[in-house]
Amino acid sequence: MDLSFVKENETVACSALVVIDAVTMATVYEDLEIVSLDMPYIPGFLAFRESPALLSLLARMKSSRPEIFPQLLMVDGNGVLHPRGFGLASHLGVLADVPTLGIAKSLFEVDGLSEREVKRSARNSLLRAGDAMDLVGRSGKVWGSALRSTGECVHPVFVSTGHRISLETGVEIVRKLCKFRVPEPVRLADKKSREYLRVNGYTKS
């Protein structure tokens, strides 16, 4: 799941839900919708801004195609890797009552974690596709995992537990769903939502 915003008007966005078969990697369902977001962006409170639009897509799918409703959600955002330990992926997972993972391209710096230092460690430690390392804060808490998705991409993605799934299991699933840096469900949701905005005249070609 993902939202893409209109650069000229960040109250307008396209919400996207893309469901894939984890074995064949084929897309089995997609839904996109132009939405208006009334709540302003406040760092650390992204869930309150974005979750209503995403929950609407899930409710529509549960009603129309319950037989292929996802067993796991991957969200462009964070789960417990968050100052309050409860980011968009956690918020969405609890409200939808579905196992959920947060997938982020940049590190939410909490508990002494520094994106610069984590990326430096990743370059030295994550040498092959599928290599991962725990994100351990100053307190000793494990907040998530940095994962090298492919051999070609040296920049990791940051995986965190959202709801009803262990970090170990989550990382293993993400490994299997990466053709590029970002796992396919999130990558496709991002790509399709941006394209939907473009073809409907909300952004320039």
Side-chain angles (χ1 to χ4, degrees), residues 8-21:
E8 298 79 13
N9 182 0
E10 293 206 346
T11 65
V12 178
C14 178
S15 56
L17 167 61
V18 177
V19 181
I20 70 168
D21 183 309

Side-chain angles (χ1 to χ4, degrees), residues 42-48 78-88 90-91 108-111 141 143:
I42 302 172
F45 292 89
L46 184 68
F48 294 94
N78 292 293
V80 299
L81 180 54
H82 184 273
R84 294 167 185 82
F86 201 82
L88 174 61
S90 300
H91 195 106
F108 210 142
E109 296 182 329
V110 297
D111 193 17
K141 177 178 178 176
W143 292 86

Side-chain angles (χ1 to χ4, degrees), residues 100-161:
T100 310
L101 286 173
I103 309 294
K105 296 184 287 294
S106 58
L107 178 67
F108 210 142
E109 296 182 329
V110 297
D111 193 17
L113 288 169
S114 159
E115 183 163 19
R116 181 178 178 182
E117 292 303 315
V118 166
K119 285 188 173 180
R120 180 183 299 169
S121 296
R123 283 195 297 272
N124 295 328
S125 303
L126 309 183
L127 304 180
R128 297 176 300 277
D131 285 353
M133 66 180 195
D134 286 345
L135 298 170
V136 183
R138 190 178 291 131
S139 67
K141 177 178 178 176
V142 177
W143 292 86
S145 182
L147 170 68
R148 180 166 180 169
S149 310
T150 69
E152 294 75 22
C153 186
V154 298
H155 299 293
V157 289
F158 302 105
V159 181
S160 58
T161 297

Side-chain angles (χ1 to χ4, degrees), residues 21-91:
D21 183 309
V23 177
T24 66
M25 301 285 274
T27 299
V28 297
Y29 179 92
E30 63 180 69
D31 191 9
L32 300 105
E33 183 176 29
I34 301 296
V35 295
S36 178
L37 304 177
D38 297 326
M39 183 176 176
Y41 170 67
I42 302 172
F45 292 89
L46 184 68
F48 294 94
R49 175 173 164 84
E50 297 191 0
S51 61
L54 299 176
L55 286 166
S56 175
L57 294 180
L58 289 171
R60 190 152 65 200
M61 182 182 184
K62 184 171 281 189
S63 174
S64 65
R65 297 296 306 276
E67 74 280 6
I68 56 168
F69 192 79
Q71 295 169 293
L72 171 68
L73 296 179
M74 290 186 180
V75 183
D76 185 1
N78 292 293
V80 299
L81 180 54
H82 184 273
R84 294 167 185 82
F86 201 82
L88 174 61
S90 300
H91 195 106

